[in-house]
Amino acid sequence: MQKSFSVLILSALVLTSCGTVRESRLNPFNWFGSSTVVRNDVRPDTEGYNPLIPARRSSVFERNKEAPYTGLYVDEVTDLQVERRPGGALIRATGITRYQGPYGVKLVKLDSESDAGILTYALKAEQYVAQVGTQASRSVTAAVWVTDNELATVGTINVKGRNNTRSTRR
């Protein structure tokens, strides 16, 4: 009985002193201090911007206007394949970019260089200045679907890069 009573008193004293140890430098949870909040405004020009809430449209029937594509030409187009499929063809191009980490790779149709017999695309990718790295880490591939109606008069398909152009003929 005497041991349990002394353990009870000792534990009560230890637990009551926890309040003072909680704020002391002896507590390892206090060594680095508490965290602070720093606001990063994604869009400082718009007050109350929340990226989780979609932007409002003026009408239900109106489409959102897409931002213009800001991709740059890839350095070199290394491969061009036209794969026939029912209803059209899949034009697939592979290229090497200047820097690692390209994203948003697209085949963009060049209307100014396309005519009735020639279909011209540009292989573009959005990229930022980064490490150069190996050729495998800078390789990108993009494809575009072309219908049979669009291919009816086309005899040559060109894909342009910054340093070269690949073409295929029927």
Side-chain angles (χ1 to χ4, degrees):
M1 172 78 182
Q2 190 175 5
K3 282 187 178 180
S4 62
F5 184 68
S6 60
V7 168
L8 181 65
I9 292 179
L10 184 64
S11 63
L13 288 173
V14 168
L15 287 176
T16 56
S17 66
C18 285
T20 58
V21 174
R22 180 177 45 171
E23 288 89 21
S24 74
R25 300 292 287 168
L26 297 174
N27 187 354
F29 291 111
N30 292 338
W31 289 352
F32 294 104
S34 61
S35 63
T36 59
V37 176
V38 178
R39 295 284 286 161
N40 291 337
D41 291 331
V42 177
R43 293 187 182 176
D45 55 337
T46 307
E47 190 163 326
Y49 173 73
N50 186 347
L52 300 177
I53 300 174
R56 286 196 154 175
R57 293 189 279 179
S58 59
S59 172
V60 174
F61 303 107
E62 183 180 311
R63 285 186 164 185
N64 289 338
K65 295 178 179 145
E66 292 184 19
Y69 183 65
T70 59
L72 303 172
Y73 281 95
V74 298
D75 273 359
E76 183 179 347
V77 179
T78 57
D79 187 30
L80 172 61
Q81 294 181 355
V82 179
E83 301 172 2
R84 297 290 296 177
R85 298 283 184 255
L90 189 67
I91 301 171
R92 186 176 56 183
T94 303
I96 305 295
T97 60
R98 180 178 284 184
Y99 302 108
Q100 285 181 340
Y103 60 97
V105 182
K106 286 186 179 182
L107 276 172
V108 179
K109 185 175 180 183
L110 300 176
D111 290 327
S112 62
E113 298 182 23
S114 299
D115 59 9
I118 299 174
L119 190 58
T120 305
Y121 286 94
L123 182 58
K124 294 185 174 185
E126 295 183 27
Q127 51 188 324
Y128 51 90
V129 177
Q131 296 178 350
V132 174
T134 63
Q135 183 174 349
S137 67
R138 297 178 289 134
S139 179
V140 294
T141 302
V144 67
W145 174 257
V146 182
T147 64
D148 281 334
N149 291 339
E150 294 172 325
L151 288 174
T153 60
V154 174
T156 304
I157 297 174
N158 296 327
V159 175
K160 293 180 69 172
R162 186 169 159 251
N163 297 329
N164 69 340
T165 300
R166 287 250 178 195
S167 64
T168 184
R169 298 172 199 256
R170 280 193 190 214

